[in-house]
């Protein structure tokens, strides 16, 4: 494989962020774009391992606005990009089992409603009535938004990559970036075992590995990889077709339909940062027990598959967009467990910053790298 000698922009990482950035830059007319992915296929990192959930239910205005811009892009995806992504609007139910969560959810629903998102408040009885197969005797309340749902992650990545390739983007797999050349505070080249690409602009879209890439440029990025895992069950014929995405918020335990069965995940609060992507079988048992207590029919179900992936986590659970202290070195990372759904708009925002000099679709200038040094953190409550 011939590596280009020069590029107007090199994007590192072929997950949803890199793919969306490549598509949006090319669509805006930028030429000579290279996208480098270290794996043999695109979308094998966090994106391909994610739960595919897309939602409007967030606790900060900026995250709600990112969803308001990004989810309609997913709704129009087939029309615009030419790829079916299987968007199912099954709705998300977030269930509060503590008084603290009730108070936080009240605030969140008010915020979402004020921004035009029609999230509904559910009483404890309404939660139980909507989920007759589940045990939520301890529910205090819940929230439901019917336009939240599920999308197929690999179709989104491949849709963007194929459309970008049709516009001339060099999207290459099996190429690991091993270094970045920086001179006088400016990015000069991307180094790989197959040679270097001279370039003035690099986008770090390496997700959980973005901290490693930043280090190559001498930039410190507060993004840590945290393992998260899930499993799918054998078919559960009793499950209604319109079973929603259910989140038992206090336990970070979630369920959604996957084919004829369910996909079930739970976040381990004691997980230490690291790159291990093997399933932690001891924690899988904890997850299975918690899930069976909520959905007793699981005792009859078999395990169909299981896997783990890495969240790319920042100290305030918000992403990092834009410039860094190295001229020409941009980042789009740190989505802390909910980046797949914000991938479409995030690639578009990077294209706007690079080509227009500012973010236009959503003002994410507050989500810059400098906020960590300046103490401008914005906490997100709805992290699962
Ligand atoms: C278990 C799990 C469940 C999740 N569920 C959801 C969900 O329901 N909804 C949601 O919105 N989000 C979810 N997320 C989060 C979401 O998956 C991520 O926020 C999003 O996919 C990040 O995309 P990305 O492109 O930044 O990273 P990635 O998809 O990881 O892409 C980065 C790419 O960079 C490549 N790379 C790394 N280093 C190099 C290098 N040196 N050279 C070249 N290439 C390199 C990697 O191989 C990788 O393909 C979940 C994540 C996990 C792990």
């Amino acid at each position: 494989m011939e590596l280009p000698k020069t590029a107007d922009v090199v994007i590192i990482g072929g997950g949803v962020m890199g793919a969306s950035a490549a598509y949006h830059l090319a669509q805006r007319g930028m030429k000579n774009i290279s996208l480098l992915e270290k794996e043999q296929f695109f979308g094998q990192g966090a994106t391909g391992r994610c739960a595919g959930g897309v939602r409007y239910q967030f606790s900060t205005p900026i995250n709600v606005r990112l969803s308001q811009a990004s989810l309609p892009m997913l709704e129009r995806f087939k029309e615009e990009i030419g790829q079916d992504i299987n968007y199912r609007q099954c709705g998300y139910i977030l269930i509060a089992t503590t008084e603290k969560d009730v108070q936080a959810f009240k605030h969140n629903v008010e915020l979402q409603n004020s921004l035009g998102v029609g999230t509904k408040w559910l009483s404890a009885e309404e939660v139980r009535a909507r989920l007759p197969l589940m045990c939520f005797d301890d529910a205090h309340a819940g929230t439901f938004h019917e336009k939240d749902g599920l999308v197929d992650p690999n179709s989104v990545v491949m849709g963007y990559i194929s459309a970008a390739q049709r516009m001339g983007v060099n999207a290459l797999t099996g190429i690991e970036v091993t270094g970045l050349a920086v001179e006088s505070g400016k990015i000069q080249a991307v180094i790989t075992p197959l040679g270097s690409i001279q370039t003035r602009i690099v986008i770090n879209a390496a997700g959980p590995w973005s901290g490693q890439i930043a280090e190559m440029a001498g930039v410190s990025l507060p993004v840590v990889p945290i393992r998260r895992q899930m499993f799918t069950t054998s078919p559960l014929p009793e499950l209604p077709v319109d079973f929603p995405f259910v989140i038992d918020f206090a336990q970070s335990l979630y369920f959604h339909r996957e084919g004829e069965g369910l996909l079930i995940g739970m976040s381990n609060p004691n997980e230490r940062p690291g790159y291990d992507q093997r399933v932690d079988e001891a924690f899988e048992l904890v997850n299975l027990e918690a899930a069976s207590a909520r959905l007793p029919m699981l005792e009859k179900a078999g395990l169909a598959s299981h896997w783990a992936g890495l969240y790319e986590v920042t100290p305030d659970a918000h992403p990092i967009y834009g410039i860094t202290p190295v001229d020409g070195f941009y980042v789009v990372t740190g989505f802390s467990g909910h980046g797949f759904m914000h991938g479409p708009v995030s690639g578009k925002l990077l294209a706007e910053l690079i080509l227009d000099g500012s973010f236009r679709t959503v003002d994410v200038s507050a989500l810059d790298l400098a906020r960590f040094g300046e103490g401008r953190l914005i906490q997100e409550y709805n992290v699962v």
Side-chain angles (χ1 to χ4, degrees):
M1 182 192 313
E2 265 298 286
L3 202 68
K5 298 265 178 296
T6 63
D8 289 344
V9 54
V10 177
I11 301 164
I12 305 172
V16 71
M17 298 304 158
S20 171
Y23 168 78
H24 284 101
L25 283 165
Q27 199 238 356
R28 291 280 312 270
M30 196 168 190
K31 304 283 177 221
N32 203 4
I33 302 168
S34 285
L35 182 152
L36 306 180
E37 166 54 51
K38 71 177 161 78
E39 300 297 335
Q40 294 306 321
F41 298 97
F42 297 107
Q44 303 290 294
T47 306
R49 294 160 187 260
C50 91
V54 302
R55 60 178 153 113
Y56 290 82
Q57 296 192 62
F58 281 99
S59 75
T60 63
I62 201 144
N63 270 336
V64 176
R65 289 201 174 96
L66 284 168
S67 291
Q68 286 178 305
S70 210
L71 273 55
M73 292 169 79
L74 291 167
E75 284 192 52
R76 298 192 302 268
F77 203 88
K78 188 168 180 196
E79 218 172 291
E80 285 182 11
I81 319 288
Q83 166 82 45
D84 186 4
I85 57 168
N86 197 16
Y87 193 165
R88 287 144 284 163
Q89 291 182 327
C90 57
Y92 264 57
I93 296 191
L94 270 73
I95 299 163
T97 52
T98 69
E99 207 38 47
K100 177 171 167 262
D101 288 344
V102 170
Q103 293 316 319
F105 282 18
K106 274 190 182 150
H107 165 268
N108 296 348
V109 171
E110 265 170 39
L111 169 80
Q112 291 155 20
N113 291 169
S114 75
L115 293 172
V117 174
T119 309
K120 293 196 174 77
W121 185 258
L122 304 179
S123 66
E125 291 67 37
E126 286 168 325
V127 168
R128 289 189 277 271
R130 277 177 186 257
L131 301 170
L133 300 169
M134 301 192 82
C135 300
F136 272 108
D137 292 344
D138 56 341
H140 288 209
T143 65
F144 180 72
H145 185 245
E146 63 189 5
K147 287 192 129 190
D148 294 347
L150 294 166
V151 169
D152 176 40
N154 283 315
S155 303
V156 173
V157 172
M158 288 321 298
Y160 278 139
I161 294 277
S162 308
Q165 285 174 324
R166 289 196 293 273
M167 292 186 282
V169 171
N170 268 313
L172 306 172
T173 55
I175 301 195
E176 179 166 5
V177 172
T178 50
L180 293 169
V182 177
E183 257 176 54
S184 315
K186 291 190 178 133
I187 205 90
Q188 304 290 335
V190 171
I191 301 159
T192 83
L194 296 187
S196 300
I197 306 178
Q198 304 299 312
T199 184
R200 294 269 175 78
I201 303 178
V202 169
I203 300 178
N204 177 359
W209 299 270
S210 55
Q212 293 178 341
I213 299 290
E215 261 175 44
M216 295 175 191
V219 170
S220 164
L221 212 57
V223 175
V224 290
I226 308 258
R227 175 171 56 179
R228 295 292 181 233
Q229 61 190 43
M230 54 186 77
F231 61 89
T232 59
T233 71
S234 55
L236 295 163
E238 304 94 320
L239 213 63
V241 208
D242 60 350
F243 188 78
F245 195 127
V246 177
I247 302 182
D248 172 355
F249 192 74
Q251 295 199 84
S252 276
L253 169 66
Y254 56 88
F255 307 74
H256 74 66
R257 270 198 83 107
E258 184 80 359
E260 302 285 297
L262 277 175
L263 180 149
I264 300 173
M266 187 172 179
S267 300
N268 180 355
N270 300 318
E271 190 69 57
R272 319 283 306 168
Y275 291 98
D276 188 355
Q277 295 196 80
R278 286 169 305 177
V279 169
D280 171 352
E281 295 195 357
F283 189 74
E284 187 171 73
L285 280 179
V286 175
N287 187 353
L288 264 166
E289 270 177 31
S292 304
R294 289 300 187 201
L295 186 65
M297 71 158 72
L298 288 176
E299 276 155 20
K300 293 182 284 175
L303 186 75
S305 63
H306 64 183
W307 66 92
L310 304 170
Y311 277 13
E312 67 288 2
V313 177
T314 62
D316 63 1
H318 277 84
I320 310 174
Y321 288 100
I323 58 166
T324 67
V326 171
D327 206 15
F329 184 51
Y330 294 83
V331 293
V332 54
T333 185
F335 290 80
S336 307
H338 41 261
F340 166 60
M341 66 187 89
H342 292 161
V345 72
S346 298
K348 187 174 183 209
L349 288 168
L350 259 281
E352 290 170 354
L353 181 65
I354 289 169
L355 297 172
D356 307 326
S358 64
F359 301 110
R360 290 172 177 237
T361 305
V362 181
D363 181 6
V364 290
S365 51
L367 299 181
D368 57 345
L369 175 57
R371 76 182 185 274
F372 300 101
E374 294 167 9
R376 289 185 279 109
L377 276 62
I378 312 168
Q379 289 296 336
E380 170 58 54
Y381 193 78
N382 283 358
V383 179
V384 180

